[in-house]
Amino acid sequence: MSPCSSVLAPARRRDPLRVALLAPLLAAALGDPGDGPLVPPIGPPPPLVGEVPPLDGPGGAVATEGSVGLPPMATWSLAFVADAPVLTADGGAVCTTPISALGRLDDTSIGWTIPRAGTSAVKALAGTEIAALLEDQQGDGEFWPPDWDEIDALGYKRASPPFARLHRGRLVLSTENGWAGADEWSDDDGHGALDGSLFLLHRSDDGGSYEVELFLPEQLVLRALGPGSDPDGGGVDIDAFTQDVIGNVFLSFRSTEWVNGTALEDEGVVCLPAARMLFNSNYDIVDVDDGCAVIVLDRERVDALVSNVGLLTPAGAAITGLGDLQALELDPAGGTFEPVQPVPSLEDGVPHLFFNGQKIGPTVLSTRNGGSLAVLDGVVLGRSPVDGTALGLDPVDSASTSADLAGLLVFPGTTPPICIDATAPELDLVAGGSPIEFVLGNATPGGVVLLLLGVEGAWPLDVVPSMPAPPAAVYPDLLVSASAYEEWITADGNGRLLWSLSVPSPGVPFRVVAQAFDLDRGELSAPAAVWCPFP
């Protein structure tokens, strides 16, 4: 079928056994594993879980040799989260649609750009995936958890073995609010996570629900900040996160926090040294030394870095500070700077950082040279007056030229993950029979794509079941395993396609879940879900 397909009622329905057989079918089509090691890790691994050492001594092995920054790569891409809705430079155009869901990025989705002049950003991961992974927590047919709100920090576990392709299960996230029963006053993450916790989102082993892997719980962050770090009992809100390859964690917070008796404003950055933390076999942090946090940057230093860049607003006013630092990442060019306070195991200095925050729009800065525009693969990630063209955002759309970033992630290679999204602005449809459109991006240009569509009636519309996908399929879970339709469609010259359908109402509330498999790349996409709570 063509990349602009319209299917009123998919006829090629497969029974559960046929769908279960898709896994070996996909496995047979795959070549090299897509999620295997890319480069050997640099530097010694962090300490593993075992007998917790006394907290008045080092929490693990001290790393004194090897680079702490990013491994050398030929090319890099930049993944990011926009703090407000933005539009990519090409609008995600597909078929006769000049602007599609693929071109609309917000604070629940992840954009991707290759640092080349004239390149448009693309959507790498869509918010509809979160709705597919999480269950109906209120039992009301509303699958977007109201407390999730937005992605507030973005990163991944660099102390763990590297991997070749990015997917949601590899990402370390923080959200604007605690969700799924998280209780700030008791430091309890519940079935979700507090806004001061860093976590990864997976499927349970039996495929019957989601599960949260806590990378760094808020209660350990508070202990690391030292006595008196939470005087009002409201916890902390992590605004930015990154980690170097020997395990050091760098954080910034939404508001002023106390760090071992020193007030650190929301532009500041702290380091939790790997030598003062304990990691388990998954490279998650399970213990910290009390008061181990070290101030790396404070407001005065950050303001000086920003002022040195010489940025101007679109109106021509000088930008001399951030107001709030909201995104952190390592600068792949390497090198170090002298922190406000010395960091154990980083005697030669802290690795240079990329950062973003309020007032500078979608512009990425670096601590290099006393404050400068960030450079990735020889391309400057911003300009003055500030706008979003360097990140591949629309140069005319006012929101795209002014929106700040909520997360940054430098990733090796230039191939973004396949992304499927629903075109409807809302994830919940009013009634069965309403037209549904899915769009797919980042597939092989002109390549063949297998579209999988699951339609199931249920109430309550709780969790979407899943089954493990072949390890080489990159995305780890197949979420249309219970029943599915199949369609083979050829992507357009940009690797995009649009699929329209109308699902007759089964007479009960139902859900529609879509995934796609790129036959040329041997890659399974993340899922997208649309919910129809009213038959």
Side-chain angles (χ1 to χ4, degrees), residues 77-105:
S77 294
L78 182 71
F80 61 92
V81 177
D83 202 33
V86 298
L87 186 65
T88 64
D90 70 2
V94 56
C95 299
T96 59
T97 304
I99 297 177
S100 77
L102 296 174
R104 300 186 185 278
L105 307 176

Side-chain angles (χ1 to χ4, degrees), residues 253-347:
F253 305 105
R254 177 164 294 278
S255 56
T256 298
E257 302 294 345
W258 291 91
V259 183
N260 294 310
T262 299
L264 181 69
E265 296 179 80
D266 53 8
E267 279 186 289
V269 177
V270 298
C271 175
L272 276 56
R276 306 293 300 276
M277 299 188 293
L278 201 66
F279 296 73
N280 64 16
S281 58
N282 287 327
Y283 299 89
D284 297 322
I285 299 164
V286 296
D287 200 6
V288 300
D289 287 3
D290 290 345
C292 69
V294 176
I295 296 175
V296 170
L297 293 169
D298 55 18
R299 175 180 288 276
E300 182 180 3
R301 288 283 295 275
V302 172
D303 285 350
L305 292 170
V306 175
S307 296
N308 193 55
V309 180
L311 291 175
L312 300 176
T313 69
I319 300 175
T320 58
L322 290 182
D324 184 15
L325 192 148
Q326 299 178 150
L328 279 173
E329 178 55 301
L330 300 181
D331 185 336
T336 61
F337 68 94
E338 184 178 350
V340 173
Q341 298 174 346
V343 179
S345 78
L346 293 178
E347 289 82 3

